[in-house]
Amino acid sequence: MLIRSLLHLSFSFVLFFFEMPGVCIAQAIKIKNDTQGKKIGFGNGKISISLDYDHKAAISSLVVNGQAVIEGSAGGYSQIRTKETTYSTLQLSSDPVVAVNDKTIRITGILYGDRELTIKESWTFHVTDSAIKFDMDRHLSGPVMAEKASLPVLLFRDTATWDGAYQDYGGLAWLYLFNKKLDTYGVHSHSSRFWNSKTGNGLTIDVAAPGNQVAMDYSRTADDKLAYTIGISREEMIPRYDSGTQRRRFIRDGTDVWAPFKMEAGTTRQSLTFSYFNFDEQYGRGKLVGINGEQVSAVLNTIARIGVIDREHFGGNSWHTPYGPICLHEQYIAQLGLAINDSSYLTGYRQCLDFYRDNAIKPDGRVWPRWAYSNEDMMPGEVTDKGFYEAQWGYLLDANPDLVSNVAELYDQTGDTGWVRTHQRSCEKALDWILKRDSNHNGLVEMITDSHLQKRGSDWLDIIWASYENAFVNVKLYHALVLWAAIEGQLGDVEKEKYYHGCAEKLKVSFNKAVGDGGFWDEAKKCYIHWRDKDGSLHGNNMVTPVNFMAIAYGICDDTARRNIILDNIEVQMEKEKLFFWPVCMYSYNPGEGNDWQFPFPNYENGDLFLSWGGVGVKVYADYKPELAVKYVKNVLAQYAKDGLAFQRYGRVKQDGRGDDILSGNSLSVAGLYTGVYGINPLHNRFYLNPHITPELSGTRVRYNFRGQRLTIGLDMNKYTVSNDRFTVISGTDFGFYSADTTLWYFNGGRDRSSLKVGVSTGSVLTLDIGAWGPGRMSWIQSFSDKHLKRLSYELHDLKRGTDYTISVNNKVFKNVRSKADGTLVFGYETNKTSDKIGIKIRS
């Protein structure tokens, strides 16, 4: 029996690596070829593949960290389907030839086709301790028009094998939404990162096809498996549907999401690289105390991403939506990236905004507000060949400021000055177009329509007939002007900085005036109204929550008394109705102020619950009463546990999910948790931490990726910490943090310029615990991880100019130094201690 087994086992190769302190541990590499059964298995410690070569070439098994994800004789193979026939590596005229050499498996002679077309492939697998690379060489004897090319297709066990797959641009194929057989979603990506939140297993499949384009699609098969298909083509693959538009990425009742394409005669090469990742290590959020961390992670890892339809197509409406719209009049898409916290999303959204810059702005500066799979939502004749259009409901003017806000907020997350400079002229053009719409020169821009009687929308609430001077659009414009004015200054254009800042201030003054004086504040109703018609009539005094939340969140309302009464009155009504989330308006619009089917109240944009306004809602309550902000975040998380938030909105009366137009904005309350409660705010030149936590959240430790660094954010009551693997800053108040190599920058409070720069000569780990900080007195305790001699350089800013200061170390005078004419003070210090207390004060 032993001799027979050895004959059947033609090759077995195992490498063992033993664990040693401080030594990288490699995974065992195994290769086993059963020549009689014509099956070969190979893999490392995390991934193993079995391949069947009995008159076929097919993957029959794929196991990821002990989890069998592919099983069956046809688990992975090549296939080309034409109108007349199907060619596949599942049916070969003869056995292919298998050769094993060290860590490489090569399968040649994979020959299939017919008299009309011969296809010859060779497959080579390179096994390393961290990955398996699968090279595919393919030769076609002649050209062929492919209805569908699966090069290859992998058939996972079922749609529950993985939660989903991330794309290389940050999008997501969320398998929860594949709720019918033959649901299919196609994307232009070179990578899929499959993951299972229950097992923690992740599988990355990277595709390289030099000289060719790559597309992928995901299908729920007729027998409930998940078919993952890779397509390789000379030109970029385009969607098959709809006729005349060909933009639809998601289809029902079929797998042919891509249009037919011509495959040329000759040889092509592609490679797939399979590698394992630990889901929690890659996407875990840390230790979130007082709140359900698993639900926070789930919301940000799923629903937050579904508005990414494809490469260069980011929005708030999901790819699952029947007509697949993208609303460019949404200012919070970049904010989603802040909470998603994945560099691939930021890179993908940057490419998307480049695409919008080049294709979604008219020559005069008007921003096209929407894109969709089809033209059914289009204003007749108002559409481009790329699919951007004016909506049938009216000219939605908030698209102009919202594009600028998203560019600005993405820039804050990346700090890429070179990139934002490429958007300078386009953002100026977008702002200038809408700023010209101020015919009475009061600082408030005007809509295309003058009266609600014209029955056209002008903002995100597109079937509420807001016209003329619209607070919804003007508050968004104020936000964009403030953000962009700062960027103009950073780019060195002082004149433009002053201009946009002046426009913002003029708008703010008029906005805050009483309605009787031409402003939006209604003293009787204690809220900002939605709009004023040209005839002076007032509309939308029904506490429209987005208008009032944005006015507070964006700083246009800086009157504390107004803020408090707005938020208190909203909360009183919330408690009265026991609503889990804020409705879009607390009371009804008047008849005629919106589309007829919005009445009777509450219905749709006249009183239903739209979770997309949770980001600003959480922010304003976090600044005022953080316990209320946390309450509504928890409410949304509890709803996610019930239904995945896979709806457009929630009804007011039953608080039930409604609408198949699923919105990624449903996650924005959780994004608000990050920005408003945890206080996580990446800015162009620093990481700014400004928490508003409650005692129940104390002890939270958030993992956060910031420009290539993994930060740990420590949140205790009146003690906040930011640290990486080299530096830590501790403070009892808000502060900014930045580090590079051997240098640490500390920013006191919300200051844009660093307050302290510390250079360290050695590789020691440094902690700064900030004490007092002001122009006359500063102090901190610095701690080190070792007792080696360390040379430190210090540079302090914003001190009193030309003033003598005394520097003390451990309560003893170290030296006296005069600050420079610009308020800078510089000194050096050497120490071999593990802790020193540094104090600086004006010399008496």
Side-chain angles (χ1 to χ4, degrees), residues 463-526:
I463 55 174
I464 298 297
W465 308 139
S467 67
Y468 197 57
E469 290 178 342
N470 179 347
F472 200 118
V473 173
N474 274 280
V475 70
K476 284 183 162 189
L477 175 58
Y478 175 81
H479 181 53
L481 287 168
V482 170
L483 292 173
W484 194 256
I487 290 174
E488 291 283 5
Q490 293 156 24
L491 296 179
D493 195 329
V494 177
E495 290 303 314
K496 286 288 179 64
E497 178 186 17
K498 291 179 180 178
Y499 171 67
Y500 292 123
H501 178 74
C503 291
E505 287 304 304
K506 186 176 182 180
L507 190 161
K508 181 177 182 178
V509 170
S510 292
F511 191 102
N512 279 305
K513 288 180 179 179
V515 290
D517 297 325
F520 292 121
W521 177 252
D522 188 329
E523 182 62 29
K525 296 291 186 178
K526 303 297 183 186

Side-chain angles (χ1 to χ4, degrees), residues 650-672:
Y650 288 82
R652 177 81 163 255
V653 177
K654 296 181 179 180
Q655 301 188 62
D656 53 330
R658 296 183 179 183
D660 56 7
D661 191 0
I662 304 170
L663 303 181
S664 62
N666 291 345
S667 67
L668 279 163
S669 296
V670 183

Side-chain angles (χ1 to χ4, degrees), residues 510-711:
S510 292
F511 191 102
N512 279 305
K513 288 180 179 179
V515 290
D517 297 325
F520 292 121
W521 177 252
D522 188 329
E523 182 62 29
K525 296 291 186 178
K526 303 297 183 186
C527 69
Y528 291 99
I529 67 168
H530 192 164
W531 79 91
R532 171 187 287 100
D533 277 356
K534 192 172 184 178
D535 64 7
S537 59
L538 308 176
H539 304 272
N541 61 0
N542 50 325
M543 188 65 84
V544 180
T545 51
V547 169
N548 286 272
F549 283 167
M550 286 191 291
I552 299 168
Y554 298 154
I556 206 167
C557 173
D558 54 9
D559 183 317
T560 302
R562 282 187 183 179
R563 178 200 70 174
N564 294 355
I565 198 157
I566 289 170
L567 299 182
D568 286 344
N569 286 345
I570 289 174
E571 181 59 15
V572 167
Q573 190 63 23
M574 293 292 291
E575 280 294 308
K576 183 178 179 180
E577 296 187 49
K578 302 299 180 185
L579 299 176
F580 87 92
F581 188 82
W582 303 289
V584 76
C585 54
M586 300 308 298
Y587 312 103
S588 180
Y589 284 96
N590 292 320
E593 290 182 337
N595 195 302
D596 290 345
W597 68 270
Q598 306 300 285
F599 303 89
F601 174 86
N603 189 29
Y604 198 57
E605 292 179 359
N606 186 25
D608 275 353
L609 283 57
F610 284 84
L611 275 59
S612 292
W613 297 101
V616 287
V618 169
K619 177 176 172 55
V620 297
Y621 277 103
D623 289 342
Y624 177 43
K625 294 181 177 180
E627 66 277 8
L628 292 179
V630 174
K631 178 180 85 170
Y632 289 106
V633 171
K634 287 185 173 183
N635 287 351
V636 170
L637 293 175
Q639 194 65 39
Y640 177 85
K642 296 176 184 177
D643 59 24
L645 304 179
F647 298 97
Q648 181 200 47
R649 68 194 192 281
Y650 288 82
R652 177 81 163 255
V653 177
K654 296 181 179 180
Q655 301 188 62
D656 53 330
R658 296 183 179 183
D660 56 7
D661 191 0
I662 304 170
L663 303 181
S664 62
N666 291 345
S667 67
L668 279 163
S669 296
V670 183
L673 171 71
Y674 266 59
T675 58
V677 179
Y678 293 159
I680 293 173
N681 292 281
L683 295 175
H684 72 102
N685 64 343
R686 66 200 185 279
F687 178 89
Y688 176 53
L689 185 65
N690 183 25
H692 297 85
I693 63 169
T694 62
E696 67 174 328
L697 304 184
S698 185
T700 290
R701 299 293 181 267
V702 181
R703 294 185 199 164
Y704 198 80
N705 300 310
F706 179 69
R707 299 177 195 167
Q709 300 180 28
R710 173 62 68 92
L711 303 182

Side-chain angles (χ1 to χ4, degrees), residues 150-435:
S150 306
L151 307 171
V153 58
L154 299 177
L155 289 166
F156 294 108
R157 294 178 63 180
D158 52 43
T159 54
T161 301
W162 306 110
D163 291 33
Y166 296 132
Q167 313 306 313
D168 61 5
Y169 51 80
L172 166 67
W174 190 20
L175 301 179
Y176 177 83
L177 299 181
F178 287 64
N179 46 27
K180 288 179 61 181
K181 297 177 190 293
L182 302 183
D183 279 358
T184 301
Y185 174 45
V187 297
H188 296 91
S189 177
H190 285 75
S191 175
S192 287
R193 292 172 67 82
F194 296 92
W195 91 96
N196 184 307
S197 59
K198 295 182 177 63
T199 65
N201 291 327
L203 172 67
T204 298
I205 301 177
D206 291 313
V207 182
N212 288 289
Q213 302 294 318
V214 178
M216 301 175 176
D217 60 74
Y218 308 83
S219 296
R220 179 173 175 173
T221 67
D223 56 353
D224 288 324
K225 291 186 177 182
L226 171 65
Y228 167 56
T229 303
I230 295 168
I232 308 295
S233 58
R234 186 78 61 178
E235 305 295 331
E236 181 176 287
M237 294 178 71
I238 61 173
R240 183 183 296 258
Y241 306 103
D242 296 342
S243 177
T245 59
Q246 294 186 286
R247 298 190 291 266
R248 187 174 298 278
R249 269 66 167 183
F250 178 74
I251 63 172
R252 299 251 191 212
D253 303 316
T255 63
D256 55 345
V257 68
W258 300 114
F261 68 99
K262 186 177 183 180
M263 300 180 69
E264 301 288 353
T267 301
T268 58
R269 164 168 279 204
Q270 68 191 78
S271 64
L272 283 66
T273 301
F274 298 79
S275 58
Y276 170 83
F277 67 91
N278 180 288
F279 178 70
D280 184 63
E281 289 178 3
Q282 289 288 320
Y283 297 102
R285 301 284 164 172
K287 175 188 174 185
L288 307 188
V289 175
I291 205 159
N292 191 316
E294 289 186 2
Q295 291 175 352
V296 169
S297 180
V299 168
L300 296 178
N301 290 331
T302 57
I303 195 78
R305 294 183 186 246
I306 62 169
V308 184
I309 290 178
D310 196 357
R311 184 181 303 280
E312 299 179 336
H313 292 77
F314 283 52
N317 300 68
S318 80
W319 46 261
H320 189 268
T321 304
Y323 72 104
I326 291 172
C327 294
L328 277 72
H329 56 111
E330 291 177 328
Q331 80 283 19
Y332 42 66
I333 306 304
Q335 186 186 3
L336 288 171
L338 184 153
I340 289 170
N341 194 219
D342 180 356
S343 61
S344 64
Y345 182 96
L346 301 186
T347 300
Y349 191 40
R350 182 171 60 186
Q351 295 168 348
C352 171
L353 289 173
D354 290 346
F355 181 71
Y356 290 173
R357 175 198 61 206
D358 299 337
N359 296 281
I361 304 177
K362 298 180 184 182
D364 65 356
R366 168 65 176 142
V367 176
W368 293 99
R370 290 188 178 174
W371 177 97
Y373 292 156
S374 64
N375 291 342
E376 63 195 81
D377 183 47
M378 178 191 73
M379 187 181 292
E382 293 285 346
V383 65
T384 74
D385 61 342
K386 297 290 194 301
F388 295 101
Y389 66 93
E390 295 283 3
Q392 62 178 318
W393 309 111
Y395 292 95
L396 311 177
L397 297 197
D398 43 354
N400 275 61
D402 289 355
L403 179 63
V404 176
S405 294
N406 280 313
V407 169
E409 294 195 349
L410 182 63
Y411 163 60
D412 267 338
Q413 292 175 61
T414 66
D416 190 339
T417 304
W419 173 78
V420 81
R421 192 180 296 278
T422 69
H423 285 260
Q424 186 174 13
R425 298 295 170 245
S426 57
C427 286
E428 290 170 353
K429 190 162 73 168
L431 289 175
D432 293 346
W433 182 90
I434 195 168
L435 285 169

Side-chain angles (χ1 to χ4, degrees), residues 795-814:
E795 184 177 306
L796 292 89
H797 300 125
D798 298 326
L799 277 63
K800 291 188 176 181
R801 300 175 180 181
T803 302
D804 291 329
Y805 282 83
T806 297
I807 302 170
S808 64
V809 177
N810 299 323
N811 298 317
K812 294 182 180 180
V813 174
F814 172 62

